[in-house]
Amino acid sequence: MSAPHDSSKWTIIFVLGGPGAGKGTHCGKLAANYPIAHLSMGDILREEQEKPGSRWGELIRRNILEGVIGPPEMSVSLLEAAMTKKYEKEGISVFLLDGFPRRIEHVELFETRICAPAAVLFLDCPEEVMQERLLKRAETSGRVDDTIAIIRKRFKTFTETTTPVIEHLRTQDKVIRNDAGKDTDAVYEQIQVMMEEKFGDVLKTSKRGRD
Ligand code: ADP
Ligand code: MG
């Protein structure tokens, strides 16, 4: 079956970093200021889990509690559907994929099915800082995986499974690294400078302009 869109014309930016690095925070800010769509893999999975009759529901529930990553077919299919919807509804063709790809097999399937990423925004943050942020987030997030036991499993998964993805993409010169341990304003400022350097043309047509 061929897709109703030409995904080779999309601009894809993977956004990676450990749990609590600030992916959601900074993707949200970028999407508010520029004509970019923010798609959070975690949010998409949590939403899918709630859908009655979803073929993935039970697997997602188990993976979240174990702090592990699901199969490429699930992540790529769900993302492709979300991107197509955004593109068809809002005409947006620049995507920040927050929390994807977390396994090397995800990169391979994504590149085969959709296209290669233009860049990878890597929010590099010390584990102790992330842990502190997540425990604070736990007070209000309602996320079942924001507990110390699952946070530790998520850190382990990040180090063992996602770090090789970043290393792989680094060899292709695609990784834009950011020091994400600083305060929110400083991190965002650095991200804006890097993004404008790399994607100036795309970002010039800002939705709401810079403030
Ligand atoms: P991720 O999506 O990478 O797991 P979030 O964006 O949800 O991370 O951030 C985790 C928590 O840390 C949130 O409560 C957020 O408000 C907070 N946070 C994010 N970035 C920073 C920062 N630079 N300094 C302080 N707190 C931050
Ligand atoms: Mg997040």
Side-chain angles (χ1 to χ4, degrees):
M1 193 181 76
S2 68
H5 52 261
D6 182 0
S7 57
S8 67
K9 294 205 174 71
W10 290 353
T11 302
I12 306 290
I13 303 163
F14 293 157
V15 183
L16 293 175
K23 300 180 294 299
T25 302
H26 296 289
C27 287
K29 281 170 174 267
L30 287 168
N33 283 308
Y34 300 107
I36 303 181
H38 166 208
L39 295 175
S40 156
M41 189 75 241
D43 288 350
I44 289 172
L45 291 168
R46 283 184 286 273
E47 229 170 79
E48 181 68 21
Q49 184 191 205
E50 298 304 323
K51 284 188 190 156
S54 164
R55 65 184 280 217
W56 303 115
E58 197 40 49
L59 179 62
I60 295 170
R61 210 177 331 277
R62 270 205 315 271
N63 288 345
I64 288 176
L65 290 175
E66 288 301 314
V68 299
I69 312 295
E73 176 60 30
M74 174 173 77
S75 302
V76 174
S77 303
L78 292 173
L79 269 181
E80 186 173 29
M83 288 192 287
T84 304
K85 196 165 149 198
K86 269 276 173 199
Y87 179 70
E88 288 176 349
K89 263 192 163 168
E90 298 172 40
I92 296 183
S93 58
V94 184
F95 298 96
L96 292 168
L97 302 189
D98 158 3
F100 179 90
R102 298 197 187 203
R103 275 171 57 178
I104 215 83
E105 297 84 356
H106 285 176
V107 184
E108 290 161 0
L109 186 63
F110 190 91
E111 292 193 350
T112 309
R113 282 258 290 269
I114 299 169
C115 65
V120 183
L121 184 57
F122 170 35
L123 300 187
D124 196 1
C125 191
E127 220 168 79
E128 57 278 13
V129 176
M130 295 194 286
Q131 180 168 315
E132 197 179 310
R133 288 180 190 170
L134 290 176
L135 291 175
K136 177 121 193 40
R137 184 174 80 178
E139 292 167 13
T140 53
S141 72
R143 279 179 52 167
V144 294
D145 56 349
D146 278 348
T147 63
I148 190 68
I150 303 180
I151 288 169
R152 294 225 169 94
K153 288 184 189 172
R154 291 159 71 202
F155 284 158
K156 186 167 183 284
T157 299
F158 177 72
T159 306
E160 290 175 357
T161 315
T162 308
T163 303
V165 172
I166 297 167
E167 288 311 316
H168 167 72
L169 293 162
R170 204 195 300 277
T171 64
Q172 301 176 357
D173 249 0
K174 288 187 175 170
V175 176
I176 304 171
R177 182 192 164 276
N178 186 275
D179 183 359
K182 297 191 203 148
D183 70 68
T184 311
D185 289 347
V187 175
Y188 186 61
E189 203 171 299
Q190 202 189 342
I191 289 176
Q192 260 188 321
V193 170
M194 291 167 165
M195 292 289 287
E196 294 199 0
E197 234 169 62
K198 177 113 185 134
F199 297 105
D201 290 346
V202 172
L203 305 180
K204 250 185 254 157
T205 48
S206 169
K207 271 195 292 192
R208 296 180 205 165
R210 298 277 302 277
D211 50 20

